[in-house]
Amino acid sequence: MATDYDLIIVNGVVVTDTDIAELDIAVKGEQIAKIVPKGQLKDAKAARTIDAEGGYVMPGGVDAHVHLQEPPLFGKGSTADNYETGSRSAVCGGTTTMVTFAPQKKSEDTLLDTLHATHAKAKDVCYIDYSFHLLVGNPSERALSEFKTLREEGISSLKIYMTYEALQLHDGQILDVLLEARKQQITTMVHAENGQVIDWMTAQLEKKKMFAPKYHGTSHPPMAETEATYRAICLSEFMDTPILIVHVSTPAAAAHIKSAQDRGLPIYAETCPQYLFLTKKDLDQPGFEGAKCVCSPPPRESEADCDDIWEGLANGTFTILSSDHCPFRYDDAEMGKKSSVSEQYPLGHFKYIPNGCPGIETRLSLTLGEDRLDLKKFVEVTSANPAKLYGLWPRKGGLIEGQSDADINIWYPPGKMQEYILTNDMLHHDVDYSPFEGRTLKQWPRYTVLRGQIVWDKENGGLLGKKGYGQFVKRDASSLAGPRKAGEWEIPL
Ligand SMILES: *[C@@H]1O[C@H](CO)[C@@H](O)[C@H](O)[C@H]1NC(C)=O
């Protein structure tokens, strides 16, 4: 029997960043071939038809902040997931594209070697499509001169740190990076915390022999984030080039971002589920348990802080919602959270706890299940905007006929999924815990499609995707607003 299409999805409520409507979708090969009003595909022949039964149909998730298989960059910890297990976990939670980090160490001179080494880690093992942000640890003359080649190789973003001794750049180096990034239309991501303030606070706590995991939070005061965020905004405005402030956790930092945006500056911001769901209480658990929630910035003071971050998502302050999946095993004395336990510090020392939490698989379901965000806004911050900001649109993040890859999540119709309590054994990462264990899940993708293939079918086999199906995707410049003035940056005289 000749077929018109490879896959048809009917009876769904299609949600994109701009529209909600009852539409049916036809997929041919790897792309969205047609999107038509409900019922209009009834005579079309397809190899496979999925009845969405009234569930939401959305573009697949794009997670633009993922750490996998990184060498130990500071301290002993080293990330648990590799490209295979991290991308497997992603697809089982409805994320079809990820942008991970290719980290250059301070001792290294070149970025291109870093890029090629990271390609080698990802090649042939990923379950989902991927790209990399270059993490610039050493903006040497050579590294800066390579930005142009990065663009030719499909890389249009990089990340810098204002903290962590092993990676921290001083302001002059940040300006060097921004100047060259501006020339090459690269978006610079900034980890905005003041490293010297954190070191000073750490010393204060050590003098008082305060080593428990909860003091990680104390050592990273909101002020350190607020100051660095505002400084990053000033540097970006001076250079007139877009930046994205990663993992914003502090309302005062968010307010600086909002007022910069109100002035028309190309300041973009990211937050993560940690800052919507976790607080200081999660760091203050019996024994060493709080280490599970040690990440930077830390979960903040109270639910009022989380509410403010939710509001920032709703009102457009936050451009994207990423996982910051940065997994370390808990019960691992070599590479994980417990590498900070020693004879001298039997309950660990917060300063040595590897920073980061897993979350690539739970990002979409946890956030959607809360029912706190408008549906279009949910698609915007979890899929469309990361694709636009990082030069993947409209191939990723949208459902546009003839232009978008057929990357699709079909959710459970309201009321159809039995709620359950999240446990780590439901997840597909290579980590022995999730900071979100014990929470009630009200949603999960029922089906996930990646470039036309059904890669996840929750009730019939779960993971159906194949290792190695995921491809490197070359990226263009950001399609969100860039510098306000065209031409080269000039010394303001
Ligand atoms: C929007 O969210 C930001 C960040 O949470 C907040 O500072 C601001 O007051 C909110 N409202 C408006 C109208 O800007």
Side-chain angles (χ1 to χ4, degrees):
M1 180 182 80
T3 56
D4 307 313
Y5 300 110
D6 296 304
L7 172 67
I8 284 181
I9 300 164
V10 296
N11 297 325
V13 177
V14 171
V15 186
T16 66
D17 60 328
T18 51
D19 295 291
I20 302 188
E22 291 187 329
L23 298 168
D24 294 342
I25 300 179
V27 173
K28 200 166 176 133
E30 300 194 343
Q31 277 199 325
I32 305 284
K34 277 222 164 335
I35 301 206
V36 295
K38 181 175 166 171
Q40 287 191 8
L41 288 170
K42 66 178 185 308
D43 299 324
K45 292 189 186 62
R48 168 97 196 251
T49 298
I50 294 178
D51 185 344
E53 298 184 273
Y56 300 127
V57 177
M58 299 180 178
V62 179
D63 194 340
H65 194 141
V66 179
H67 298 270
L68 297 176
Q69 217 170 330
E70 292 181 359
L73 289 169
F74 25 84
K76 282 202 254 174
S78 112
T79 40
D81 277 309
N82 57 27
Y83 275 83
E84 177 182 342
T85 63
S87 65
R88 177 181 74 197
S89 183
V91 71
C92 296
T95 289
T96 47
T97 304
M98 62 181 177
V99 191
T100 63
F101 294 99
Q104 179 208 29
K105 292 185 186 168
K106 236 180 195 156
S107 57
E108 294 165 345
D109 195 31
T110 156
L111 293 168
L112 294 178
D113 288 357
T114 307
L115 174 63
H116 300 143
T118 310
H119 264 297
K121 290 178 192 165
K123 194 174 182 306
D124 298 331
V125 299
C126 287
Y127 284 85
I128 65 170
D129 287 352
Y130 60 91
S131 179
F132 313 114
H133 308 288
L134 261 292
L135 195 166
V136 182
N138 175 18
S140 66
E141 248 177 70
R142 177 163 171 205
L144 294 168
S145 74
E146 291 170 341
F147 283 18
K148 192 168 186 291
T149 316
L150 290 178
R151 282 301 314 281
E152 288 158 11
E153 299 213 8
I155 303 296
S156 55
S157 53
L158 47 85
K159 181 180 177 193
I160 56 173
Y161 284 85
M162 297 170 86
T163 182
Y164 294 129
E165 206 184 342
L167 294 168
Q168 182 173 344
L169 304 189
H170 59 68
D171 295 346
Q173 291 175 305
I174 295 175
L175 288 171
D176 281 342
V177 169
L178 292 179
L179 177 63
E180 194 58 30
R182 184 183 199 283
K183 265 191 215 151
Q184 305 302 338
Q185 287 187 284
I186 286 176
T187 303
T188 304
M189 310 158 78
V190 184
H191 179 137
E193 284 188 288
N194 182 319
Q196 291 190 4
V197 169
I198 293 165
D199 291 346
W200 189 86
M201 282 299 290
T202 301
Q204 300 305 306
L205 289 160
E206 285 182 312
K207 272 189 220 157
K208 295 205 151 39
K209 303 216 177 325
M210 293 169 158
F211 303 126
K214 67 177 175 186
Y215 297 116
H216 168 72
T218 321
S219 70
H220 287 243
M223 173 276 279
E225 183 184 357
T226 307
E227 182 279 328
T229 299
Y230 185 63
R231 182 158 33 108
I233 291 169
C234 292
L235 297 173
S236 154
E237 181 177 11
F238 183 69
M239 198 49 68
D240 185 25
T241 194
I243 56 169
L244 171 112
I245 315 276
V246 291
H247 47 49
V248 175
S249 69
T250 298
H256 278 302
I257 290 163
K258 178 78 176 131
S259 80
Q261 292 168 343
D262 288 347
R263 287 193 292 127
L265 302 179
I267 303 293
Y268 299 102
E270 171 195 82
T271 192
C272 315
Q274 299 74 300
Y275 310 115
L276 301 173
F277 291 98
L278 304 181
T279 65
K280 197 172 159 180
K281 270 201 214 118
D282 295 282
L283 284 173
D284 188 6
Q285 294 185 52
F288 188 62
E289 286 282 308
K292 290 180 174 175
C293 297
V294 165
C295 56
S296 289
R300 293 302 184 187
E301 191 65 27
S302 66
E303 276 174 27
D305 293 305
C306 298
D307 287 345
D308 199 276
I309 301 299
W310 276 105
E311 184 183 338
L313 268 177
N315 78 21
T317 303
F318 294 110
T319 322
I320 65 175
L321 176 77
S322 312
S323 68
D324 193 4
H325 183 79
C326 186
F328 298 95
R329 274 177 223 115
Y330 176 68
D331 213 353
D332 180 337
E334 283 300 306
M335 285 157 45
K337 299 284 187 182
K338 289 197 175 161
S339 64
S340 60
V341 176
S342 62
E343 226 164 86
Q344 193 185 359
Y345 305 112
L347 276 178
H349 182 322
F350 69 85
K351 165 167 101 169
Y352 300 117
I353 300 173
N355 280 203
C357 307
I360 199 168
E361 192 167 346
T362 46
R363 175 183 69 123
L364 297 173
S365 301
L366 272 176
T367 310
L368 183 64
E370 272 315 272
D371 228 354
R372 263 179 95 154
L373 278 185
D374 172 80
L375 291 168
K376 288 184 287 184
K377 181 56 87 174
F378 172 77
V379 172
E380 182 184 304
V381 295
T382 59
S383 177
N385 269 358
K388 290 176 185 176
L389 180 67
Y390 295 123
L392 291 159
W393 177 269
R395 183 167 165 200
K396 303 294 185 188
L399 296 171
I400 301 176
E401 285 184 4
Q403 293 190 52
S404 299
D405 283 352
D407 297 353
I408 304 166
N409 278 328
I410 302 165
W411 297 87
Y412 278 87
K416 179 111 182 174
M417 192 185 101
Q418 216 186 329
E419 291 187 5
Y420 56 83
I421 306 289
L422 181 72
T423 58
N424 191 55
D425 58 13
M426 293 170 184
L427 300 174
H428 300 77
H429 56 197
D430 191 13
V431 191
D432 56 359
Y433 80 98
S434 156
F436 305 111
E437 276 171 280
R439 279 169 203 275
T440 304
L441 282 174
K442 299 176 202 127
Q443 262 294 9
W444 199 269
R446 192 176 189 184
Y447 305 94
T448 299
V449 177
L450 169 57
R451 280 186 282 106
Q453 299 294 314
I454 299 169
V455 288
W456 169 254
D457 180 342
K458 191 165 187 302
E459 281 154 57
N460 297 291
L463 175 62
L464 303 181
K466 298 275 174 291
K467 172 180 160 181
Y469 181 65
Q471 290 176 354
F472 175 72
V473 190
K474 278 195 160 194
R475 296 187 285 125
D476 294 322
S478 172
S479 53
L480 298 185
R484 295 197 289 177
K485 274 178 76 180
E488 295 228 339
W489 181 83
E490 281 170 37
I491 297 175
L493 293 172

